[in-house]
Amino acid sequence: MDANAHRLIMSFFNEQIPFNSYLGMELTELGDGHARVELAFKDELVGDRFRPALHGGVLSALIDVAGGAAAFSKVKVPGDTLSTLDMRVDY
């Protein structure tokens, strides 16, 4: 995938998905099958005040966004769709 397509994907993830913006996620790097997502720490995202640690849902969202961006970087046909995450959580 060329650099222009990577820019389009990054713009989409950073500017067109309200949930990503709400959490403060930013897709900062995108390569062929590789993505880096950054998130500035905010007290509102803490799930355990005693440690403090990010809420597991926030971590799951980061994994989903990074995986989705990395997968989309491999798409060769514009307009193709794909599923990006199959996560199981056991307590």
Side-chain angles (χ1 to χ4, degrees), residues 4-25:
N4 188 46
H6 282 183
R7 280 192 296 275
L8 287 172
I9 292 169
M10 290 180 75
S11 174
F12 177 75
F13 275 77
N14 289 335
E15 299 167 16
Q16 301 300 316
I17 302 178
F19 183 72
N20 295 356
S21 298
Y22 180 77
L23 288 180
M25 284 191 264

Side-chain angles (χ1 to χ4, degrees), residues 35-49:
R36 179 185 180 121
V37 179
E38 296 182 8
L39 175 71
F41 183 83
K42 294 191 265 186
D43 285 333
E44 296 83 7
L45 302 179
V46 170
D48 180 351
R49 293 227 178 261

